[in-house]
């Protein structure tokens, strides 16, 4: 496994739409493992392939619960319910945090890394993470949908 280079704010690739994954091969499995390792290294809750420069509809999410990291290939949000006002950041926008309105619940379909069709009903942080990462696949970034006036720059704790 390896840490991949992240793409940051200002990189045009972050505005591009990612393409469907057509084959789940060894190369994709390596990418998945690398994305999980990269997300963990930077203490992220989620990472989309575009953030490591690959325009594939692939995201990894880890909300640090008992389920461990989840891998969503070609995810589609089928339904959303309610609203939640949440604090949000993004590994491509280091040190920038803001409030965003996200659905409270989402139902999403995706393919897992074994190629199995899956469906998840997600709430709260998981719902937020799925929405944030699916936005990346569509070339959208959280900074464009923040509640005006809520953007904060927070320097990381150097001791961490
Ligand atoms: Ni992000």
């Amino acid at each position: 496994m390896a840490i991949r280079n992240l793409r940051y704010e200002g990189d045009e690739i972050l505005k591009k739409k990612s393409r469907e994954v057509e084959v789940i091969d060894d190369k994709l499995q390596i990418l998945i493992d690398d994305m999980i390792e990269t997300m963990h290294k930077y203490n992220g809750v989620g990472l989309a392939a575009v953030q490591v420069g690959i325009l594939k509809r692939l995201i990894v999410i880890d909300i640090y619960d008992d389920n461990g990291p989840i891998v969503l290939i070609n995810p589609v949000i089928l339904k959303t319910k309610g609203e939640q006002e949440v604090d949000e950041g993004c590994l491509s926008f280091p040190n920038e945090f803001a409030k965003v309105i996200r659905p409270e619940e989402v139902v999403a379909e995706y393919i897992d890394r074994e190629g199995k069709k899956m469906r998840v009903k997600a709430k709260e942080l998981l719902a937020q993470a799925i929405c944030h990462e699916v936005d990346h696949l569509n070339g959208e970034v959280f900074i464009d949908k923040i509640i005006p006036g809520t953007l904060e720059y927070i320097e990381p704790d150097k001791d961490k």
Side-chain angles (χ1 to χ4, degrees):
M1 296 212 281
I3 304 291
R4 302 267 177 143
N5 289 328
L6 287 174
R7 300 301 188 97
Y8 294 107
E9 182 169 17
D11 192 319
E12 286 298 309
I13 199 167
L14 293 174
K15 295 183 185 161
K16 292 191 175 154
K17 215 175 150 154
S18 296
R19 290 177 294 271
E20 297 260 308
V21 173
E22 276 163 17
V23 280
I24 301 174
D25 55 10
D26 290 350
K27 207 178 154 196
L28 194 83
Q29 297 292 352
I30 291 167
L31 172 63
I32 290 167
D33 286 334
D34 288 354
M35 283 173 61
I36 291 170
E37 197 179 349
T38 305
M39 168 177 69
H40 285 158
K41 176 172 166 68
Y42 296 105
N43 304 311
V45 169
L47 188 68
V50 60
Q51 292 180 274
V52 295
I54 293 169
L55 288 166
K56 285 185 190 291
R57 301 188 80 82
L58 161 65
I59 64 184
V60 297
I61 290 174
D62 195 346
I63 58 166
Y64 302 94
D65 64 359
D66 296 338
N67 296 320
I70 55 172
V71 176
L72 299 91
I73 297 166
N74 300 338
V76 177
I77 294 172
L78 302 173
K79 257 197 276 184
T80 67
K81 198 176 138 190
E83 279 188 352
Q84 52 175 341
E85 186 181 310
V86 286
D87 289 309
E88 201 158 303
C90 176
L91 294 181
S92 294
F93 296 76
N95 312 333
E96 291 180 53
F97 299 89
K99 291 201 186 295
V100 182
I101 304 283
R102 295 287 186 191
E104 167 86 63
E105 275 182 44
V106 302
V107 176
E109 254 181 12
Y110 62 97
I111 296 166
D112 75 6
R113 65 187 302 177
E114 274 85 49
K116 237 189 304 166
K117 202 165 182 183
M118 308 288 282
R119 183 181 278 230
V120 62
K121 187 172 178 184
K123 286 181 172 182
E124 298 162 358
L125 179 59
L126 185 58
Q128 178 189 1
I130 290 172
C131 293
H132 177 113
E133 301 310 329
V134 169
D135 278 355
H136 273 301
L137 303 184
N138 296 324
E140 295 167 16
V141 289
F142 88 109
I143 218 83
D144 292 333
K145 48 179 68 176
I146 63 173
I147 299 172
T150 64
L151 182 63
E152 287 187 274
Y153 295 87
I154 300 171
E155 285 294 321
D157 187 343
K158 293 275 185 331
D159 298 331
K160 262 193 186 166

